[in-house]
Amino acid sequence: MPPRKKAAAPKRSVLIIGSEAVPFAKTGGLADVLGALPAALARLGWMVTVALPRYRGIQDGTLVERLPVTVGGVTADVRFFEAPTADGARALLVDCPELYDRETLYGAGGVDYPDNPRRFAVLVRAALEFAARGGSGPTIVHAHDWQAGLAPVYLKTLYAAHPVIGGTPSVFTIHNLAYQGTCEADWLPRLDLPWNLFTIEQLEYWGRISFLKGGINNAEIITTVSRKYAGEIQTPEVGAGFDGILRRRSADLVGIPNGIDVEQWDPSRDPFLPAAFSAEDLGGKAASKREVLAQYGLPVTDATMRRPLVGMISRMIDQKGFDLIAAIADDLPRLEATFVVLGTGEARYQQLWTALAAAHPDRVGARIGFDEPLAHLIEGGADIFLMPSRFEPCGLNQMYSLRYGTVPVVRGVGGLDDTVRDYSPRSTRSTGFVFHEYTGAALLEALRRALALYGDQRRWRTLQLAGMRQDYSWDRSAREYVKMYERAIKMVAGG
Ligand code: ADP
């Protein structure tokens, strides 16, 4: 028989499910990822749908469908609104006022809404029902964090034999291991889940059930937001009780670093900088430095312009290494450097910096608050950026720093280790300074190494330029996700 002409392959499609996405709803980094990744996947030729709740205040979208979604015997009347997003991707806003029309996304007064298991089970079920109602479902489902953790579970149970979406592979991404989505086991029937999932290999977690665990144990592939963090979360120190669960799946667990918004963070056209600069012409960087010093009320003189300016923008909490800063607080003003810090957080760390600034008004500037324009200006004007984190799933500021020719001094954990290459005089690929031991002394030593090299402007320039030429665009990360989608598809096809 002559070979039949192959029909053009249908466009591959991904159904992304998560609880927040820019520009619709944001409380953290997950929203940035779900705001940027869909467009990058669409640029690679994928059809992309991002399903999230239509929370209070979201006005976007056109009503495209209305379906009853029954979970645990209780039917919700769900309306679906579609809103186009960048580069041809679309958001699917799942509307169900009794579940999502609330003051905040996850809880009130520091306490989670008691019906969160139902709220996010309905989100997942609604997204899957919507996808299943046509003739062909998505090529893959990509679920994010515990709120979407039941998507891989439902695909393997309720929908396993579904004529349209049965057998659809899934990828599960962990952005924050600290949120594990646990609830009492008696939720199982209310979520349409059989009791045989109440085992240690499935959803059971210390006598309760965990949505996060469900996602990890049922997705074909699990990803997290940096390569190093993917290894670290398999250890008791960073695993937050999930290290054993993750070790069991280590063959299918990969790290894919987040990208950054290269439009918003671009020193050649950043409206918050007094002068543009780039790898080709770094001349304008000095104007930002001058402006930072001025805005912090630090002296603007030839001496302070020559002295390296060390910046830090961060939530002031232990995770970000502020206890290390506290340990070397007396040494900092004695270094040949000026320090500026921007952030909010624990009172003791805010006080530490304000006291340092008061005691050394010509050496240290502290600004307590959240200030996006100033954050851009510091990235533009600082020579060195400090990020001594205890742990860091991915981290963004070190990538902004690299793009702005601001040499990062970081602890070699998580995304910091993925993105910053420690200085070696023999390598032209070094981009910053990395220390490992979690001590003030190790941080101080790395900082001293950076300050010493700053004296050698030729070598310093090589370091800056190597960082500025790195690619941290979402396109790069999206290509890695596509590889994982393809691997998951093969895993299911191969039985
Ligand atoms: P995390 O998400 O753990 O806080 P990241 O480095 O991943 O740390 O991202 C922090 C983001 O928040 C960056 O974009 C950073 O510039 C911004 N940011 C943090 N604190 C402030 C602040 N006080 N003012 C302005 N931007 C801030």
Side-chain angles (χ1 to χ4, degrees), residues 283-333:
K285 194 166 165 65
S288 287
K289 182 169 180 175
R290 189 169 290 116
E291 184 65 23
V292 174
L293 292 171
Q295 286 213 11
Y296 273 87
L298 292 156
V300 186
T301 62
D302 284 350
T304 54
M305 285 299 288
R306 268 199 306 274
R307 192 183 293 151
L309 179 63
V310 182
M312 195 168 179
I313 305 161
S314 181
R315 292 184 290 129
M316 293 184 172
I317 53 171
D318 277 344
Q319 185 212 318
K320 300 290 180 181
F322 278 83
D323 47 343
L324 295 192
I325 306 263
I328 57 164
D330 293 338
D331 300 288
L332 293 180

Coordinates of all heavy atoms in Angstrom, one line a residue, residues 283-333:
G283 N 28.2 54.0 29.8 CA 28.4 55.4 30.3 C 27.3 55.9 31.1 O 27.5 56.6 32.1
G284 N 26.0 55.6 30.8 CA 24.9 56.1 31.5 C 24.7 55.6 32.9 O 23.9 56.2 33.7
K285 N 25.4 54.6 33.3 CA 25.2 54.0 34.6 C 25.6 54.9 35.7 O 25.0 54.9 36.8 CB 26.0 52.6 34.7 CG 25.6 51.7 35.9 CD 26.2 50.3 35.7 CE 26.2 49.6 37.0 NZ 24.8 49.2 37.5
A286 N 26.6 55.7 35.5 CA 27.0 56.7 36.5 C 25.9 57.7 36.9 O 25.8 58.1 38.1 CB 28.3 57.5 36.0
A287 N 25.1 58.0 36.0 CA 24.0 59.0 36.3 C 23.0 58.3 37.3 O 22.5 59.0 38.2 CB 23.2 59.3 35.0
S288 N 22.8 57.0 37.1 CA 21.9 56.3 38.1 C 22.6 56.3 39.5 O 21.9 56.5 40.5 CB 21.6 54.9 37.7 OG 20.7 54.9 36.6
K289 N 23.9 56.1 39.5 CA 24.6 56.0 40.8 C 24.5 57.3 41.5 O 24.2 57.4 42.7 CB 26.1 55.6 40.5 CG 26.9 55.5 41.8 CD 28.3 54.9 41.5 CE 29.1 54.7 42.7 NZ 30.4 54.0 42.3
R290 N 24.7 58.4 40.7 CA 24.6 59.7 41.3 C 23.2 59.9 41.9 O 23.1 60.4 43.0 CB 24.9 60.8 40.2 CG 25.1 62.2 40.7 CD 25.6 63.1 39.7 NE 27.0 62.8 39.4 CZ 27.5 62.4 38.2 NH1 26.7 62.2 37.2 NH2 28.8 62.2 38.0
E291 N 22.2 59.5 41.2 CA 20.8 59.7 41.6 C 20.5 58.9 42.8 O 19.8 59.4 43.7 CB 19.9 59.3 40.4 CG 18.4 59.6 40.6 CD 18.0 61.0 40.8 OE1 18.8 61.9 40.3 OE2 17.0 61.3 41.4
V292 N 21.0 57.7 42.9 CA 20.8 56.8 44.1 C 21.4 57.5 45.3 O 20.7 57.7 46.3 CB 21.4 55.4 43.9 CG1 21.3 54.6 45.2 CG2 20.7 54.6 42.8
L293 N 22.6 58.0 45.2 CA 23.3 58.6 46.3 C 22.4 59.8 46.7 O 22.2 60.0 47.9 CB 24.7 59.1 45.9 CG 25.7 57.9 45.7 CD1 27.0 58.5 45.1 CD2 26.0 57.2 47.0
A294 N 22.0 60.6 45.8 CA 21.2 61.8 46.1 C 19.9 61.5 46.7 O 19.5 62.1 47.8 CB 21.0 62.6 44.8
Q295 N 19.2 60.5 46.2 CA 17.9 60.1 46.8 C 18.0 59.6 48.2 O 17.1 59.7 49.0 CB 17.2 59.1 45.9 CG 16.7 59.7 44.6 CD 15.4 59.0 44.2 OE1 14.8 58.2 44.9 NE2 15.0 59.4 42.9
Y296 N 19.2 59.0 48.5 CA 19.4 58.5 49.9 C 20.0 59.6 50.8 O 20.3 59.3 52.0 CB 20.2 57.2 49.9 CG 19.4 56.0 49.7 CD1 19.1 55.5 48.4 CD2 18.9 55.2 50.8 CE1 18.4 54.4 48.2 CE2 18.2 54.1 50.6 CZ 17.9 53.7 49.3 OH 17.1 52.5 49.1
G297 N 20.2 60.8 50.3 CA 20.8 61.8 51.1 C 22.3 61.5 51.4 O 22.8 62.1 52.4
L298 N 22.9 60.7 50.6 CA 24.4 60.4 50.8 C 25.2 61.4 50.1 O 24.7 62.0 49.1 CB 24.7 59.0 50.3 CG 24.1 57.9 51.1 CD1 23.9 56.6 50.3 CD2 24.9 57.6 52.4
P299 N 26.4 61.7 50.5 CA 27.2 62.7 49.8 C 27.4 62.3 48.3 O 27.7 61.2 48.0 CB 28.5 62.8 50.6 CG 28.5 61.7 51.5 CD 27.1 61.2 51.7
V300 N 27.3 63.3 47.4 CA 27.6 63.0 46.0 C 28.9 63.7 45.7 O 28.9 64.9 45.4 CB 26.4 63.4 45.1 CG1 26.7 63.0 43.6 CG2 25.1 62.9 45.5
T301 N 30.0 63.0 45.8 CA 31.3 63.6 45.6 C 32.1 62.7 44.7 O 31.7 61.6 44.4 CB 32.0 63.8 46.9 OG1 32.2 62.4 47.4 CG2 31.3 64.6 47.9
D302 N 33.3 63.2 44.2 CA 34.1 62.3 43.4 C 34.5 61.1 44.2 O 34.5 60.0 43.7 CB 35.4 63.0 43.1 CG 35.2 64.1 42.0 OD1 34.1 64.0 41.4 OD2 36.1 64.9 41.7
A303 N 34.7 61.2 45.5 CA 35.1 60.1 46.4 C 33.9 59.1 46.4 O 34.1 57.9 46.3 CB 35.4 60.6 47.8
T304 N 32.7 59.5 46.6 CA 31.6 58.5 46.7 C 31.2 58.0 45.4 O 30.8 56.8 45.3 CB 30.3 59.1 47.4 OG1 29.9 60.3 46.7 CG2 30.5 59.5 48.8
M305 N 31.5 58.7 44.3 CA 31.2 58.2 43.0 C 32.3 57.1 42.6 O 32.0 56.2 41.9 CB 31.2 59.3 41.9 CG 30.0 60.1 41.9 SD 28.5 59.2 41.6 CE 28.6 58.8 39.9
R306 N 33.5 57.3 43.2 CA 34.5 56.3 42.9 C 34.4 55.0 43.8 O 34.7 53.9 43.4 CB 35.9 56.9 43.2 CG 36.6 57.5 42.0 CD 38.1 57.7 42.2 NE 38.4 58.4 43.4 CZ 38.4 59.7 43.5 NH1 38.2 60.5 42.4 NH2 38.7 60.3 44.7
R307 N 33.8 55.2 45.0 CA 33.7 54.1 45.9 C 32.6 53.2 45.5 O 31.5 53.7 45.0 CB 33.3 54.7 47.3 CG 33.4 53.8 48.4 CD 32.9 54.5 49.7 NE 33.8 55.6 50.1 CZ 33.5 56.7 50.8 NH1 32.2 56.8 51.1 NH2 34.3 57.6 51.2
P308 N 32.7 51.9 45.5 CA 31.7 51.0 45.1 C 30.4 51.1 45.9 O 30.4 51.3 47.1 CB 32.3 49.6 45.2 CG 33.5 49.7 46.0 CD 34.0 51.1 45.9
L309 N 29.3 51.1 45.2 CA 28.0 51.3 45.8 C 27.3 49.9 45.9 O 27.1 49.2 44.8 CB 27.1 52.2 45.0 CG 25.7 52.5 45.5 CD1 25.7 53.1 46.9 CD2 24.9 53.4 44.5
V310 N 27.0 49.4 47.1 CA 26.4 48.1 47.3 C 24.9 48.3 47.6 O 24.6 49.0 48.5 CB 27.1 47.4 48.5 CG1 26.5 46.0 48.6 CG2 28.6 47.3 48.3
G311 N 24.1 47.6 46.8 CA 22.7 47.7 46.9 C 22.0 46.4 47.4 O 22.6 45.3 47.2
M312 N 20.9 46.6 48.0 CA 20.1 45.4 48.5 C 18.6 45.8 48.4 O 18.2 46.9 48.9 CB 20.5 45.1 49.9 CG 20.1 43.7 50.3 SD 20.9 43.1 51.8 CE 20.1 41.6 52.0
I313 N 17.8 45.0 47.7 CA 16.4 45.2 47.7 C 15.7 43.9 48.1 O 16.0 42.9 47.4 CB 15.9 45.6 46.2 CG1 16.7 46.7 45.7 CG2 14.4 45.8 46.2 CD1 16.6 46.9 44.2
S314 N 15.0 43.9 49.2 CA 14.6 42.6 49.6 C 13.5 42.7 50.7 O 13.4 43.7 51.4 CB 15.8 41.9 50.2 OG 15.5 40.6 50.7
R315 N 12.7 41.6 50.8 CA 11.9 41.5 52.0 C 12.9 41.2 53.2 O 13.8 40.4 53.0 CB 11.0 40.3 51.8 CG 9.9 40.5 50.8 CD 8.9 39.4 50.7 NE 9.5 38.2 50.1 CZ 9.4 37.0 50.6 NH1 8.7 36.8 51.8 NH2 9.9 36.0 50.1
M316 N 12.7 41.9 54.3 CA 13.7 41.8 55.3 C 13.3 40.7 56.3 O 12.7 40.9 57.4 CB 13.8 43.2 56.1 CG 14.4 44.3 55.2 SD 14.6 45.8 56.1 CE 15.5 46.8 54.9
I317 N 13.7 39.5 55.9 CA 13.3 38.3 56.7 C 14.6 37.4 56.7 O 15.5 37.6 55.9 CB 12.1 37.6 56.0 CG1 12.4 37.2 54.6 CG2 10.8 38.4 56.2 CD1 11.4 36.3 53.9
D318 N 14.5 36.4 57.6 CA 15.6 35.5 57.8 C 16.0 34.8 56.5 O 17.1 34.6 56.1 CB 15.3 34.4 58.8 CG 15.6 34.9 60.2 OD1 16.3 35.9 60.4 OD2 15.1 34.3 61.2
Q319 N 14.9 34.4 55.7 CA 15.2 33.7 54.4 C 16.2 34.4 53.5 O 16.9 33.8 52.8 CB 13.9 33.4 53.7 CG 14.0 32.6 52.4 CD 13.1 32.9 51.3 OE1 11.9 33.2 51.5 NE2 13.6 32.9 50.0
K320 N 16.1 35.7 53.6 CA 16.9 36.5 52.7 C 18.3 36.8 53.3 O 19.1 37.6 52.7 CB 16.2 37.8 52.4 CG 14.9 37.6 51.7 CD 15.0 37.1 50.3 CE 13.7 36.8 49.6 NZ 13.8 36.3 48.3
G321 N 18.7 36.2 54.4 CA 20.0 36.3 55.0 C 20.2 37.5 55.8 O 21.4 37.9 56.1
F322 N 19.2 38.1 56.3 CA 19.4 39.3 57.2 C 20.0 39.0 58.5 O 20.6 39.9 59.1 CB 18.0 40.1 57.3 CG 17.7 41.0 56.2 CD1 17.1 40.4 55.0 CD2 18.1 42.3 56.2 CE1 16.9 41.2 53.9 CE2 17.9 43.1 55.1 CZ 17.3 42.6 53.9
D323 N 19.9 37.8 58.9 CA 20.7 37.4 60.2 C 22.2 37.4 59.9 O 22.9 37.8 60.8 CB 20.2 36.1 60.8 CG 20.0 35.0 59.7 OD1 20.0 35.3 58.5 OD2 20.0 33.8 60.1
L324 N 22.6 37.1 58.7 CA 24.0 37.2 58.4 C 24.5 38.7 58.4 O 25.5 39.0 58.8 CB 24.3 36.6 57.0 CG 24.1 35.1 56.8 CD1 24.7 34.7 55.5 CD2 24.7 34.4 58.0
I325 N 23.6 39.5 57.8 CA 23.9 41.0 57.8 C 24.1 41.5 59.2 O 25.0 42.2 59.5 CB 22.8 41.8 57.1 CG1 22.5 41.2 55.7 CG2 23.1 43.3 57.0 CD1 23.2 41.8 54.5
A326 N 23.1 41.0 60.1 CA 23.2 41.5 61.5 C 24.5 41.1 62.1 O 25.1 41.8 62.9 CB 22.0 40.9 62.2
A327 N 25.0 39.9 61.7 CA 26.2 39.3 62.3 C 27.4 40.2 61.9 O 28.4 40.2 62.7 CB 26.4 37.9 61.9
I328 N 27.4 40.8 60.8 CA 28.6 41.6 60.3 C 28.3 43.1 60.3 O 29.0 43.9 59.6 CB 29.1 41.1 59.0 CG1 28.0 41.1 57.9 CG2 29.7 39.7 59.1 CD1 28.5 41.0 56.5
A329 N 27.2 43.5 60.9 CA 26.7 44.9 60.8 C 27.9 45.9 61.2 O 28.0 47.0 60.6 CB 25.5 45.1 61.7
D330 N 28.7 45.5 62.2 CA 29.8 46.5 62.6 C 30.9 46.6 61.6 O 31.6 47.6 61.5 CB 30.4 46.0 63.9 CG 29.4 46.1 65.1 OD1 28.4 46.9 64.9 OD2 29.5 45.4 66.1
D331 N 31.0 45.5 60.8 CA 32.1 45.5 59.8 C 31.7 46.3 58.5 O 32.6 46.8 57.9 CB 32.4 44.1 59.4 CG 32.9 43.2 60.5 OD1 34.0 43.4 61.0 OD2 32.1 42.4 61.0
L332 N 30.5 46.3 58.2 CA 30.1 46.9 56.9 C 30.5 48.4 56.7 O 31.1 48.7 55.7 CB 28.5 46.8 56.7 CG 28.0 45.4 56.6 CD1 26.5 45.4 56.4 CD2 28.6 44.7 55.4
P333 N 30.3 49.2 57.7 CA 30.7 50.7 57.5 C 32.2 50.9 57.4 O 32.6 51.9 57.0 CB 30.1 51.4 58.8 CG 29.2 50.4 59.4 CD 29.6 49.0 59.0

